Amino acid sequence: MQVLILTHNILVERPLVEKLQRLNIEVLSSAKLLTMIQANQVPLEVLGFFDVVIVSETISDQEFTVILEKVGDKFTIIREADRLPQKDEQADWEAQGVDEWLLEDETLSGLREKLAEKTLKESVYSIGFGVRQQQEENEQEKRPLPLWNLTRSEREMLSTLIATKEAPISRNDLAIKIWGDSDSASHMTRLSTIIKHLRNKLKIDGVEYDVIRTNWGEGYQLSKVFFDHYVVDDRIMEEIKTGK
């Protein structure tokens, strides 16, 4: 497992880094990558190395919102905090993409279990297994989509991404396709949540994590791996739309 800690002060993160290293986890604590993410300057292949992003409490809520908008749907996101937010506030953050909360006094065993709970199903998709898995997929016949495991919104999202496979589709256009408008801030938040859940479900089904690519400044697009992995024809498209 590879963990990225985004922080304004790497010295503050030393105790956490030491705990992670004791768990034999590769970890990078970086202020530079924080700045680059905020400026959309981080190459996707760099971000693709990490499974989990821990966001330091040295980062303001406003900055955290920006981080979630940019990369919240691509990783397990853990937020450091000195206390748990109130239930309503916690629900709002989780809707934006926060997966877990990490308190200052978290024990080593507590940290271990939180990481295990959030990444157990995803850990086999680390960069070390990516090439082998893709080779195995290429040797297999295409398989049916796991439609039984998708919500209505996830099916609508998938249907739209398949229909627009030749080019990225923007977040605004996705919202219009799914809900008929793009003016609602809640729709933008829900888009990130749906994309994240859809990625995770396809990943559990055996597709690499970047099956839904984020093209910075352009929107979302299904990768070639998706079409190599699944059968996509008129019958399947009808099943996606109807859920039957």
Side-chain angles (χ1 to χ4, degrees), residues 74 159 168:
K74 293 181 69 63
S159 173

Side-chain angles (χ1 to χ4, degrees), residues 73-174:
D73 54 359
K74 293 181 69 63
F75 305 97
T76 294
I77 301 290
I78 298 178
R79 173 60 155 162
E80 283 188 280
D82 57 1
R83 60 169 182 81
L84 282 177
Q86 297 296 322
K87 286 187 177 180
D88 290 347
E89 183 184 358
Q90 188 171 339
D92 287 342
W93 281 116
E94 290 174 356
Q96 294 182 62
V98 179
D99 295 291
E100 189 56 87
W101 302 88
L102 186 62
L103 302 183
E104 288 180 343
D105 58 354
E106 190 70 67
T107 63
L108 183 65
S109 60
L111 177 60
R112 179 194 65 211
E113 294 306 312
K114 283 186 177 181
L115 289 172
E117 178 185 355
K118 295 300 176 183
T119 62
L120 181 60
K121 292 179 180 179
E122 303 176 2
S123 60
V124 295
Y125 297 88
S126 65
I127 198 167
F129 290 86
V131 174
R132 186 176 70 213
Q133 179 176 331
Q134 187 167 347
Q135 290 172 342
E136 291 173 352
E137 287 176 355
N138 290 339
E139 295 171 358
Q140 297 173 352
E141 293 184 0
K142 292 184 180 182
R143 59 193 296 179
L145 281 158
L147 301 180
W148 60 271
N149 197 28
L150 304 183
T151 65
R152 182 183 61 81
S153 295
E154 289 163 358
R155 291 199 309 271
E156 290 177 349
M157 175 76 73
L158 187 58
S159 173
T160 301
L161 290 172
I162 292 173
T164 58
K165 67 177 183 178
E166 300 301 329
I169 181 170
S170 70
R171 290 167 60 83
N172 282 345
D173 288 345
L174 267 175

Side-chain angles (χ1 to χ4, degrees), residues 33 42 78 98 108 114 116-117 130-131 153 155 170 187 192 194 201-203 205 229 234:
L33 280 180
V42 183
I78 298 178
V98 179
L108 183 65
K114 283 186 177 181
E117 178 185 355
V131 174
S153 295
R155 291 199 309 271
S170 70
H187 285 171
S192 295
I194 293 169
K201 289 180 180 181
L202 294 177
K203 185 174 176 182
D205 194 55
H229 194 86
D234 291 342

Side-chain angles (χ1 to χ4, degrees), residues 8 33-40 59 63 66-67 70:
H8 282 302
L33 280 180
L34 169 62
T35 303
M36 293 178 70
I37 287 173
Q38 292 170 327
N40 284 341
I59 294 173
E63 291 174 299
V66 173
I67 293 170
K70 295 182 183 298

